[in-house]
Amino acid sequence: MLIDDLRGMFYIMLKDLHAYYFKPPNISWGILLPLAFVLAFAIRDPGNLDNLIPGLLALTLLFGASSMEAIVIAFERRVGALERLLLAPVRLPALLAGKILGGVVFGLVTTAVVLILVLFRYGLGGVNWPLLFVAMLLSATAFAAMGALVSVAVKEVFEAQTLANLFRFPMMFLGGVFVPVASLPPVLRVVAHALPLTYTVDALTVAMAGGPWSAAGLDLAVLVGFSLAFFVSATWTLARRVG
């Protein structure tokens, strides 16, 4: 049974990457939208561009991992494709994990492209690369699982897009991308610490500065918690929808 689940997860991920993710509009959306927001703030304050790099990577992870993930399951339920997948010898949690893996891979690939561009421009010597990779992986997992939860919670694709943006856009402005969380009013700081993007930005900032694992330990642990919470909630919701 475990072998069937792992094989099913792998092929579901491949199918989604081929059918939905690696298309020119999705690639450009995942890369150009975060760049556009960051450049808008950089034009306003050109001397602060280096400090925006962790936020740029965090936004690319957020949009790359969650954008298509938030609509794929809703779309497949709408056209009946999900019901055909449910006939495969794969348990529901494994099916959903395969869907999430597609978002994780796409989020990491688009972020790697942005990271390479940043390296060409700034060099970024002294980066804690293992910490950076783990922070990116856990963040992509949390954002993809969040997208999956959004997708299983609605019936129509346009509803998924609206609900996903309802979560993503507040995170952009409260998660420490453009304004440090410590400078926010107390009430907004509380809200910021309930958002996964806040911990992504903090962990990436530590990694880019070459900081130790201990400085980002809490961030990584919280991202694991978000990933598990989103995955369990999405599995439970999908089981009720298709049961």
Side-chain angles (χ1 to χ4, degrees):
M1 182 67 74
L2 178 60
I3 296 299
D4 289 337
D5 285 345
L6 292 175
R7 186 184 299 114
M9 289 166 55
F10 177 73
Y11 284 109
I12 289 169
M13 176 193 71
L14 287 184
K15 177 191 75 70
D16 282 2
L17 288 174
H18 175 72
Y20 304 118
Y21 287 97
F22 285 116
K23 307 292 184 183
N26 297 331
I27 296 172
S28 61
W29 167 267
I31 295 174
L32 294 181
L33 185 65
L35 278 173
F37 280 110
V38 170
L39 287 176
F41 275 78
I43 290 172
R44 180 180 178 183
D45 186 8
N48 197 36
L49 187 57
D50 287 0
N51 295 330
L52 292 175
I53 291 174
L56 171 60
L57 297 177
L59 284 185
T60 309
L61 282 166
L62 173 63
F63 281 91
S66 69
S67 292
M68 283 303 298
E69 190 67 44
I71 65 175
V72 165
I73 298 176
F75 171 75
E76 290 193 344
R77 287 179 59 209
R78 187 76 174 83
V79 301
L82 187 65
E83 283 69 17
R84 291 192 293 272
L85 274 179
L86 292 171
L87 297 176
V90 179
R91 288 176 291 184
L92 188 63
L95 185 154
L96 190 61
K99 294 287 185 184
I100 290 172
L101 280 174
V104 171
V105 170
F106 187 73
L108 290 175
V109 169
T110 53
T111 306
V113 172
V114 174
L115 182 59
I116 291 170
L117 295 175
V118 169
L119 288 174
F120 274 119
R121 175 63 178 84
Y122 294 98
L124 295 178
V127 175
N128 186 336
W129 292 105
L131 176 57
L132 181 67
F133 174 76
V134 171
M136 287 171 55
L137 177 62
L138 292 179
S139 298
T141 303
F143 298 143
M146 181 188 74
L149 176 58
V150 168
S151 194
V152 301
V154 300
K155 293 182 179 180
E156 301 292 343
V157 172
F158 74 88
E159 294 175 333
Q161 293 171 328
T162 301
L163 185 58
N165 288 332
L166 186 64
F167 288 107
R168 285 195 297 247
F169 282 98
M171 278 198 283
M172 286 176 52
F173 298 102
L174 297 178
V177 175
F178 306 117
V179 179
V181 173
S183 66
L184 294 174
V187 174
L188 293 182
R189 283 203 299 271
V190 173
V191 176
H193 284 102
L195 303 174
L197 188 66
T198 301
Y199 302 94
T200 294
V201 173
D202 193 54
L204 293 179
T205 300
V206 172
M208 300 292 276
W213 285 81
S214 57
L218 177 62
D219 300 310
L220 301 180
V222 173
L223 287 170
V224 170
F226 272 116
S227 300
L228 292 174
F230 289 143
F231 178 73
V232 171
S233 300
T235 303
W236 180 82
T237 303
L238 183 59
R240 289 177 58 86
R241 294 282 188 180
V242 301

